[in-house]
Amino acid sequence: MHALLLVALAIAAGAGWYWSRFPGKWNYAFSSRYATNRAPLTTRRRNLREIDKEAAQVEKSARDRASAEEAKYRQDIKELEDEIAGLLRPGLGSHVKGPIGDITLYKHQVKLSGKNPVTISLAGLTARFSSDPTYMIDLTEPSSRTHRATYPRRREAGDETTPFFTAEQLSDFALEIMNAAADENDFRAHREARLPHAREELEAAQKNSAARDEAMKALQDVCAWQKSDPRRKEALASLDAERRRWQQLTGKMPPR
C-alpha cells in the first residue's frame, strides 16, 4: 500500500510539472487534440537547451584551462618560495635518531636535554665517544665550546626500564653525528651556490604569467561571445514567439 501511494505521488508530481510547462486548462496540456500546439514549444525549448548545454561545456573547458594555468603558475612560485625558505631557515630538519640518552639527532641540528638543554647546529660540529671513566659523547662546536652527555657503563641490578646503551651503540651514534655534520656542511655549501639561482628562478616564475594570462583572456572571450551568441538569440526569440502563441491559445504564458 505504501509503495502504491509513493507511485501515485510520483505520477501526480510528474503530471503537475508537465502541466506547469503547458499551463491552461487540463486538455491543453494532456489532450491529443492540442499535441500539434505543444510540439513546437517542446522543440524550441529543446533547441535552446542544447545551445545552452554546448555553451556550458565550452565555458567549462575554458574555465578549467584557466584554473589549471593559474594553479600551475602559483605552484611554480610556491615551490621556489618553499625551497628558498628551506635554504634560509632549515630549522631542526627531519628527525634522524634518538633520543640516545640526552641527545637527539636531527637533519640540521642536535638537541641536548638534561640539566642544561641546548640546541646545536651541526655545521662544523665534531662528536667524540670515550669510555673512561664513564661512557661519554662530547659535542664540540666550531667555537670550541663543548657539550657532554654521559651514560652508565652498566645497567643497575633489577632496573629493566631505564634505557641502556652499549659502548658500541654509543660509538656508532657519535659516528652518525659526525656524518650528519658532514652532510650539513655539504648542505651549507649547496645553499650558498643555490640561493642566488633560486632567487633568479623565482623572479622569472613571477613574471612568467603568459600562459595563465592567455587562458584567462580566452575564458573572458568565451563568456563575452556567449552573451551575444546569435544562435542563442535566435533560439530564444523563436521560443518566446511560441510562448506567445500558446498564451493566445490558452490565456496562460508558459515558462521558458
Side-chain angles (χ1 to χ4, degrees):
M1 187 65 181
H2 182 68
L4 291 176
L5 179 59
L6 290 177
V7 171
L9 288 174
I11 292 173
W17 175 84
Y18 187 80
W19 200 346
S20 72
R21 303 293 287 167
F22 299 96
K25 294 181 179 180
W26 182 92
N27 57 332
Y28 290 125
F30 298 100
S31 173
S32 59
R33 176 181 175 184
Y34 295 99
T36 55
N37 300 97
R38 295 191 297 268
L41 191 55
T42 300
T43 299
R44 300 296 184 271
R45 283 171 171 162
R46 183 186 303 115
N47 290 343
L48 180 62
R49 187 166 60 249
E50 289 175 353
I51 290 172
D52 285 345
K53 180 179 179 181
E54 180 183 340
Q57 290 173 341
V58 172
E59 181 178 338
K60 182 181 183 302
S61 177
R63 195 174 298 280
D64 287 348
R65 181 191 168 206
S67 296
E69 290 295 345
E70 175 69 19
K72 183 179 184 303
Y73 174 76
R74 291 182 180 276
Q75 181 64 26
D76 290 345
I77 291 174
K78 185 178 184 303
E79 286 179 357
L80 287 165
E81 287 176 339
D82 289 348
E83 180 185 2
I84 291 170
L87 291 171
L88 291 174
R89 298 176 295 278
L92 286 172
S94 57
H95 177 264
V96 176
K97 193 169 186 177
I100 304 296
D102 290 341
I103 301 178
T104 304
L105 176 62
Y106 295 87
K107 185 175 181 181
H108 298 290
Q109 296 179 336
V110 170
K111 290 187 73 172
L112 267 73
S113 57
K115 293 182 179 179
N116 299 301
V118 65
T119 300
I120 312 166
S121 171
L122 279 168
L125 188 71
T126 60
R128 185 176 68 88
F129 169 71
S130 58
S131 58
D132 186 24
T134 186
Y135 291 163
M136 299 175 290
I137 293 180
D138 288 340
L139 303 177
T140 303
E141 300 181 61
S143 65
S144 297
R145 179 179 293 275
T146 299
H147 309 269
R148 173 170 291 171
T150 60
Y151 304 84
R153 292 178 65 95
R154 62 184 60 83
R155 189 189 296 276
E156 295 296 330
D159 183 2
E160 300 298 330
T161 59
T162 303
F164 175 79
F165 305 97
T166 65
E168 183 178 8
Q169 287 174 319
L170 295 173
S171 177
D172 289 346
F173 185 46
L175 183 60
E176 286 186 72
I177 297 173
M178 290 294 293
N179 287 334
D183 291 340
E184 178 65 11
N185 292 336
D186 290 342
F187 167 78
R188 297 291 180 101
H190 164 75
R191 179 176 67 182
E192 296 307 312
R194 174 59 183 157
L195 261 176
H197 296 293
R199 286 171 170 150
E200 290 175 2
E201 291 173 16
L202 174 59
E203 183 178 354
Q206 290 169 334
K207 293 178 179 178
N208 186 24
S209 62
R212 181 198 66 174
D213 295 344
E214 179 186 348
M216 184 58 68
K217 179 63 167 55
L219 174 60
Q220 293 171 348
D221 290 345
V222 165
C223 293
W225 180 84
Q226 287 181 349
K227 289 181 180 179
S228 60
D229 182 2
R231 293 188 311 151
R232 191 176 192 280
K233 287 183 176 181
E234 181 180 349
L236 193 56
S238 297
L239 174 56
D240 286 344
E242 287 299 332
R243 291 170 66 227
R244 287 191 293 271
R245 278 191 280 272
W246 184 267
Q247 184 182 34
Q248 290 171 1
L249 174 67
T250 68
K252 300 288 185 179
M253 175 64 78
R256 286 177 174 170

